[in-house]
Amino acid sequence: MTMTALITGATSGLGYEFVKLFAKDGYNLVLVARNGQTLEEIKQTYTNVKVTIISKDLSVPGAAKEVFEEVEKQGISLDVLVNNAGFGLLGKFDELDIHEQLNMIQLNITALTELTYYFLKQMKQRNSGRILNVASTAAFQPGPLMSVYYATKAYVLSFSEALVEELSDSSVTVTTLCPGATKTNFGSVANVEGTKMFSRAMASDIVAKKGYQGMMSGKRVIVTGGLNMAGALGAKFMPRSLAAKIAKYVAGEK
Ligand SMILES: NC(=O)c1ccc[n+]([C@@H]2O[C@H](COP(=O)([O-])OP(=O)(O)OC[C@H]3O[C@@H](n4cnc5c(N)ncnc54)[C@H](OP(=O)(O)O)[C@@H]3O)[C@@H](O)[C@H]2O)c1
């Protein structure tokens, strides 16, 4: 039987790399993002699998539920959910636009939580399914100059790891992918290109493949890249005040 994967943020960066990986393995796809034209172009490209596109702004309250309802209406049963859509913003909290930051919380946290809620219920009923939540190495420490972004990713990691335990008697798996800086549109959207943080960005295909393989083998948390792994480990053992100072240093000075 053909499996189906839903990927949010499928039009660029890591999301589009996930599209390629799932399509290569013969998965039917449900692709969600705002840009309907790009979604349509992707649909035309992947003719070996069935591609359903849902153009939706997931930062709008209620949009995630509408995605779930659309999938149900089309009679699609998901085997994999990839909560990938997200964005960041560089700047001091009080100097950035409040509405943009609230939209970030809505997308990075609320939409991810809602999609997980609705599809997890179905997966539990079938006692099968995989969820891949894309967090970041930002999840491991406070992030001055990207305070809300780092906090959203800390939520994603904490939430996802808690679910792993809740699902210990189930075959449904939840995996968190924690990439460090990666070459996608994220850098220009967040305005972090040229910062120290982005001086050693990894290739998006490598990062997505690590996430894909880790999810398929039921891993709990994946940190991509040796340096990022060392940074995540270091943040665990140093005082959070020091970790925050380091995060501020790498986000600063373009
Ligand atoms: N690149 C990095 O350095 C890095 C590092 C750590 C974690 N991450 C995480 O990786 C994930 C993927 O980001 P990326 O690096 O691949 O960035 P990207 O290239 O900017 O891709 C973001 C994707 O999300 C979609 N999206 C953005 N806002 C949306 C909204 N309101 N509703 C629905 N879809 C929306 C975009 O499509 P549309 O514009 O068509 O909506 C696009 O497909 C994010 O969660 C990000 O936080 C990235």
Side-chain angles (χ1 to χ4, degrees):
M1 204 181 72
T2 308
M3 310 268 251
T4 302
L6 184 150
I7 303 162
T8 69
T11 49
S12 82
L14 292 174
Y16 187 56
E17 295 300 330
F18 288 128
V19 170
K20 292 189 213 167
L21 290 164
F22 281 106
K24 192 162 160 263
D25 282 352
Y27 276 74
N28 288 335
L29 300 168
V30 181
L31 307 181
V32 184
R34 291 168 301 183
N35 191 326
Q37 197 183 324
T38 309
L39 285 172
E40 190 56 51
E41 283 164 17
I42 295 172
K43 182 176 175 166
Q44 303 303 329
T45 308
Y46 291 93
T47 47
N48 63 317
V49 294
K50 182 170 180 255
V51 181
T52 304
I53 57 175
I54 303 178
S55 173
K56 194 71 75 181
D57 183 346
L58 289 171
S59 70
V60 174
K65 179 136 194 256
E66 285 169 17
V67 168
F68 172 71
E69 287 167 351
E70 182 62 32
V71 170
E72 280 231 296
K73 201 173 104 190
Q74 298 211 24
I76 298 168
S77 170
L78 284 197
D79 300 284
V80 179
L81 168 65
V82 182
N83 278 309
N84 163 75
F87 74 99
L89 289 172
L90 178 70
K92 286 188 177 165
F93 170 64
D94 59 303
E95 292 172 7
L96 291 171
D97 184 279
I98 187 61
H99 301 293
E100 281 188 72
Q101 295 186 90
L102 294 176
N103 281 348
M104 192 199 302
I105 294 172
Q106 190 73 34
L107 177 64
N108 296 10
I109 293 182
T110 310
L112 174 144
T113 306
E114 272 190 275
L115 288 173
T116 301
Y117 181 82
Y118 293 117
F119 289 113
L120 177 59
K121 274 181 180 285
Q122 289 188 339
M123 289 176 181
K124 272 181 83 174
Q125 276 163 12
R126 295 196 320 264
N127 199 27
S128 85
R130 298 193 185 281
I131 297 175
L132 178 63
N133 286 337
V134 180
S136 165
T137 48
F140 298 105
Q141 66 278 298
L145 302 180
M146 291 187 92
S147 57
V148 174
Y149 178 70
Y150 274 57
T152 64
K153 295 303 183 178
Y155 171 92
V156 174
L157 178 62
S158 173
F159 168 64
S160 307
E161 286 197 278
L163 292 185
V164 171
E165 283 312 309
E166 288 189 11
L167 292 165
S168 59
D169 59 351
S170 156
S171 299
V172 180
T173 64
V174 177
T175 299
T176 312
L177 175 62
C178 296
T182 306
K183 287 175 201 149
T184 67
N185 286 341
F186 178 91
S188 60
V189 172
N191 194 24
V192 290
E193 276 171 350
T195 60
K196 291 183 199 72
M197 183 196 295
F198 252 67
S199 60
R200 288 171 200 229
M202 288 178 69
S204 57
D205 56 341
I206 293 173
V207 173
K209 198 167 181 187
K210 288 268 179 214
Y212 184 83
Q213 289 170 338
M215 175 201 64
M216 288 303 181
S217 60
K219 273 197 174 171
R220 190 184 181 108
V221 179
I222 303 148
V223 179
T224 50
L227 270 179
N228 293 326
M229 183 80 85
L233 260 179
K236 258 189 200 170
F237 295 109
M238 71 177 72
R240 279 174 76 76
S241 56
L242 177 59
K245 279 194 172 58
I246 296 171
K248 185 178 172 192
Y249 172 76
V250 297
E253 276 187 43
K254 285 207 169 195

